[in-house]
C-alpha cells in the first residue's frame, strides 16, 4: 500500500488508463500545458503529448459535442469540465444526445464511451459550488459516479473510463488534499456497487461524496454514546445499488440519507422513496434526510456554513430516528 | 472537368429517386401511415445529392431533420429505410429512430437529435477522430441557415479551423428557419462570408443546380481530405413545402411559394440532359418506372413488417460490458 492524495489518485488513474488504451484521450480547458486547474492532469501532457491531452477553447457545449463525435467513431474521450456548475452550459449534448444514442438508434452504436470528469467547488460562491447529481440521475442512459475518498476515486475513475456508457464522474475540490491508502498494484472498483464504510446495528446512514466524511465522524462520536451507526457509501448514484441499502435498512430499521446537495429535490428523496416503497415494514422510524438548505450557497463563509450539512446536523438527524 | 454520361445518369437517377421518395413520404404521412413528424426535402434535393455522391462509403455525414437527399446520395437501402420510417423492427434502428433520426452506421450516416446546431460539433468530433487515427476519411456536417445562429456552430467552426480538422461545413440555405425568414434573423445573410471569421475558405453555389453543387463539393471534399483544414460551402436553395407536413405556411407570401417551383432542380437537370442527348424521354420513363417499383416494394414490405415488442422500450438503454465495439 502507498499513501496518495485524492488528486494524485485521479492523476494515477488517468495515467494508467491512457497507457493501457491508445484510444483514450483527454480534453478540456487548461488540462494540457498547465496540468489542470486543480492539478489533476499534471504531467500527462508531457508524458502523452498534445495529440492525446488536448487543450480546448472555452466552449463546454462544443467540447462535449466533439467528445461525442469522437466516442462514436472509435475513441474513448475523458472530458474535464472545470466546475460542475458549468454542466449547465452543455446540458443539451449530454442529456439529449450522449444519454440517448445507444437506445435511439437501436443499438447500432454499441457504445458511447464518454467519461465526463467534473468537480464540485467549495468556498467559491453560488455558481461555483453546486452539487447537481440529481439532475443527471434522472436521465436514463447516463451513469453518475461520486467517489468520497482516495481509494474509491482511483478505482472508480478507471472503471468509468473503461465503461462503454456515458459516465458523469463527480469529484470534489474540497477533497483534493485528502490522503488515503491505495494498493501498489492495479485495481478497479465496479460501478453500481455501494460499500459499507462502517458497520453498525442501530441506525443506517446512506451518504455519498464529501458527506461520507461527516457521516463517519458522526458515527465515531455517537459510538461513544453507545449508538451504533452503519454508514453506506453508495459510490455510484446511477445505477443505484438498492440491495446494499435495503439490506442495511432491514438490519437497523432506522435511516438517515445525507448529501451535500440541496435537500429539496435532491437524490436523497429518491432513496427515501425507494426505502418507503420496498422496506416499509422494516422501518421503526420515518426516513430522515440531511441536505443543504434551499438557498444559493454564498462565498461568504458564515452563510455557506449555515447552509451546508455537517457532522452536527447529521448527529441531530441520527438522534431523531431513535427518539 | 466534364462528367461522363454514366455518372450524369447516376446523378439524375439519384435526384429522381429522392424526389419520388419524398413525395411518397408526404403522401404516406398525410394518410397517417407512419408516426412522428415529417419535414419534406422537396425542392432542396440537389444539395444532398450533389454533395453525398462525392463521398466514400467510409466518409461520415451528420444530418438535419430534412436530409433524405443526403441519405439517398449516400446510397441507403430503401427497404430498411422505409421499415424504419414506419417504426417497424426491420428498420435500421429497429424502428426507434424513424426517418428524421435515421442512422446507418455502415454508410457513415451518424443519426440525428433535434437540437438545431448540436450535430455540428459532433461532426467536428468525428473529424477529430479521423485525424487522431490518421485516416483520410472526411466528415461532412449538414445544417441549414437557422443553425448558423447557434452557439455550437460558432464554437465548432473555430475549433475545426484551429486544429485543421477534416470537416466540411455544408450549409443548405433555403432562407427559412422553421417559420422565420432569414431577413429577420441574419446579420450576415450570405453564410459563406462567415468563413473569414474562422480563417477558412468559404464559397456559395446555386444549390438548385446539381452539377454546380457536385463540382463545388468535389473540390471542397478533396481540399478537406488532403489535410488543408475545414471549409464552409453554402448551397442556396428553396423549400417548397412548410417546415413540416401540416404546416400551412400562413407566414409566407403565397407568390414566393409559387416562385420556388421555378427552381426545380430535378426538372432543370432533366431538361439539360435531354437537350444534350444524355437522356431520352424513354430513358426518363424507364428510370421513373424502376424507382417507383423500388419505392412501392419498400412501402409494401414496411406495411407488412412487425412493430417492435413493447418490452423493447427497455432494451439498449445501457451497454453491458463486452457489448461495446
Amino acid at each position: 500500500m502507498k499513501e496518495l492524495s485524492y488528486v494524485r489518485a485521479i492523476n494515477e488513474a488517468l495515467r494508467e488508463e491512457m497507457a493501457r488504451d491508445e484510444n483514450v484521450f483527454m480534453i478540456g480547458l487548461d488540462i494540457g500545458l498547465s496540468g489542470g486547474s486543480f492539478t489533476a492532469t499534471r504531467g500527462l501532457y508531457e508524458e502523452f503529448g498534445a495529440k492525446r491531452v488536448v487543450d480546448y477553447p472555452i466552449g463546454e457545449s462544443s467540447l462535449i459535442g466533439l467528445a461525442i463525435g469522437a466516442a462514436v467513431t472509435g475513441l474513448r474521450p475523458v472530458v474535464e469540465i472545470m466546475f460542475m456548475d458549468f454542466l449547465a452550459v452543455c446540458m443539451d449534448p449530454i442529456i439529449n444526445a450522449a444519454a440517448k444514442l445507444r437506445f435511439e438508434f437501436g443499438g447500432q452504436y454499441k457504445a458511447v464511451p464518454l467519461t465526463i470528469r467534473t468537480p464540485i467547488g467549495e468556498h467559491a460562491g453560488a455558481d461555483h459550488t453546486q452539487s447537481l447529481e440529481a439532475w443527471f440521475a434522472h436521465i436514463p442512459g447516463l451513469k453518475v459516479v461520486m467517489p468520497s475518498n482516495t481509494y474509491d476515486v482511483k478505482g472508480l475513475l478507471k472503471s468509468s473510463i473503461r465503461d462503454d456508457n456515458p459516465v458523469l464522474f463527480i469529484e470534489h475540490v474540497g477533497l483534493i488534499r485528502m490522503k488515503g491508502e491505495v494498493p501498489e498494484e492495479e485495481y478497479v472498483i465496479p460501478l453500481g456497487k455501494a460499500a459499507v464504510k462502517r458497520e453498525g446495528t442501530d441506525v443506517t446512514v446512506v451518504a455519498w461524496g464529501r458527506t461520507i466524511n461527516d457521516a463517519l465522524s458522526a458515527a465515531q462520536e455517537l459510538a461513544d454514546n453507545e449508538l451504533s451507526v452503519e454508514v453506506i457509501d453508495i459510490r455510484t448514484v446511477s445505477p443505484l445499488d438498492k440491495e446494499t441499502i435495503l439490506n442495511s435498512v432491514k438490519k437497523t430499521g432506522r435511516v438517515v440519507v445525507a448529501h451535500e446537495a440541496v435537500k429539496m429535490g435532491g437524490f436523497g428523496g429518491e432513496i427515501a422513496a425507494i426505502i418507503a416503497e420496498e422496506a416499509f415494514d422494516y422501518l421503526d422510524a420515518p426516513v430522515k434526510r440531511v441536505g443543504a438548505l434551499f438557498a444559493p450557497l454564498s462565498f461568504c463563509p458564515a452563510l455557506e456554513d449555515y447552509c451546508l450539512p455537517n457532522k452536527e446536523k447529521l448527529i441531530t438527524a441520527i438522534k431523531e430516528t431513535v427518539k | 472537368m466534364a462528367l461522363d454520361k454514366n455518372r450524369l445518369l447516376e446523378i439524375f437517377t439519384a435526384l429522381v429517386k429522392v424526389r419520388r421518395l419524398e413525395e411518397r413520404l408526404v403522401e404516406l404521412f398525410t394518410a397517417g401511415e407512419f408516426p412522428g413528424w415529417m419535414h419534406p426535402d422537396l425542392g432542396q434535393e440537389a444539395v444532398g445529392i450533389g454533395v453525398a455522391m462525392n463521398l466514400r462509403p467510409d466518409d461520415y455525414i451528420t444530418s438535419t431533420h430534412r436530409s433524405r437527399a443526403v441519405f439517398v446520395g449516400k446510397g441507403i437501402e430503401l427497404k430498411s429505410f422505409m421499415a424504419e420510417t414506419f417504426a417497424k423492427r426491420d428498420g435500421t434502428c429497429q424502428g426507434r429512430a424513424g426517418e428524421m433520426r435515421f442512422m446507418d452506421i455502415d454508410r457513415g450516416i451518424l443519426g440525428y437529435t433535434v437540437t438545431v446546431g448540436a450535430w455540428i460539433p459532433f461532426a467536428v468530433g468525428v473529424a477529430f477522430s479521423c485525424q487522431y487515427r490518421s485516416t483520410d476519411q472526411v466528415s461532412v456536417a449538414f445544417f441549414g441557415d437557422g443553425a448558423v445562429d447557434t452557439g455550437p456552430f460558432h464554437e465548432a467552426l473555430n475549433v475545426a479551423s484551429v486544429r485543421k480538422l477534416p470537416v466540411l461545413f455544408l450549409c443548405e440555405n433555403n432562407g427559412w428557419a422553421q417559420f422565420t425568414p432569414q431577413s429577420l434573423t441574419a446579420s450576415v445573410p450570405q453564410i459563406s462570408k462567415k468563413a473569414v471569421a474562422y480563417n477558412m475558405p468559404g464559397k456559395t453555389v446555386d444549390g438548385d443546380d446539381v452539377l454546380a453543387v457536385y463540382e463545388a463539393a468535389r473540390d471542397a471534399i478533396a481540399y478537406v481530405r488532403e489535410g488543408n483544414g475545414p471549409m464552409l460551402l453554402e448551397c442556396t436553395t428553396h423549400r417548397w413545402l412548410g417546415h413540416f407536413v401540416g404546416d400551412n405556411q400562413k407566414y409566407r407570401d403565397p407568390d414566393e411559394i409559387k416562385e420556388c417551383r421555378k427552381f426545380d432542380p430535378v426538372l432543370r437537370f432533366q431538361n439539360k440532359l435531354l437537350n444534350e442527348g444524355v437522356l431520352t424521354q424513354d430513358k426518363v420513363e424507364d428510370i421513373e418506372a424502376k424507382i417507383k417499383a423500388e419505392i412501392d416494394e419498400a412501402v409494401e414490405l414496411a406495411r407488412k413488417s412487425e412493430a417492435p415488442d413493447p418490452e423493447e422500450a427497455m432494451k439498449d438503454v445501457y451497454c453491458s460490458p463486452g457489448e461495446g465495439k
Side-chain angles (χ1 to χ4, degrees), chain B residues 201-221:
Chain B
K203 189 180 163 106
T204 301
V205 295
D206 177 0
D208 295 330
D209 176 347
V210 71
L211 282 190
V213 175
Y214 187 92
E215 280 161 15
R218 182 193 52 210
D219 294 342
I221 288 163

Side-chain angles (χ1 to χ4, degrees), chain A residues 46-168:
Chain A
E46 290 75 11
E47 185 168 343
F48 295 99
K51 176 179 135 168
R52 299 187 64 199
V53 184
V54 178
D55 279 319
Y56 198 79
I58 303 175
E60 283 80 1
S61 190
S62 62
L63 169 55
I64 300 291
L66 182 153
I68 291 171
V72 299
T73 48
L75 301 185
R76 303 187 75 92
V78 182
V79 177
E80 181 177 300
I81 299 289
M82 201 186 287
F83 283 90
M84 187 164 201
D85 320 79
F86 300 147
L87 290 175
V89 178
C90 46
M91 285 299 276
D92 173 63
I94 295 172
I95 70 172
N96 288 324
K100 295 171 166 60
L101 290 188
R102 176 174 167 81
F103 176 84
E104 195 93 76
F105 304 125
Q108 268 197 81
Y109 283 128
K110 299 208 172 52
V112 184
L114 166 66
T115 304
I116 302 172
R117 292 178 42 243
T118 189
I120 297 165
E122 66 162 7
H123 311 321
D127 45 13
H128 246 356
T129 51
Q130 291 170 98
S131 187
L132 299 169
E133 69 275 18
W135 286 6
F136 301 93
H138 192 59
I139 307 296
L142 290 182
K143 293 192 179 181
V144 181
V145 180
M146 209 154 148
S148 66
N149 64 80
T150 300
Y151 177 84
D152 286 348
V153 78
K154 183 177 178 191
L156 288 170
L157 181 52
K158 286 167 72 76
S159 290
S160 297
I161 293 170
R162 296 183 194 187
D163 197 300
D164 289 329
N165 295 283
V167 178
L168 179 63

Side-chain angles (χ1 to χ4, degrees), chain A residues 56-59 61-62, chain B residues 117-118 120-121 124 143 146-162 169 194 197-198 200:
Chain A
Y56 198 79
I58 303 175
S61 190
S62 62
Chain B
I120 305 174
V124 171
F143 50 90
V148 312
D149 300 327
T150 67
F153 168 86
H154 163 71
E155 292 179 32
L157 267 70
N158 178 58
V159 168
S161 180
V162 78
F169 295 106
K194 295 173 190 279
Y198 306 103
M200 69 173 77

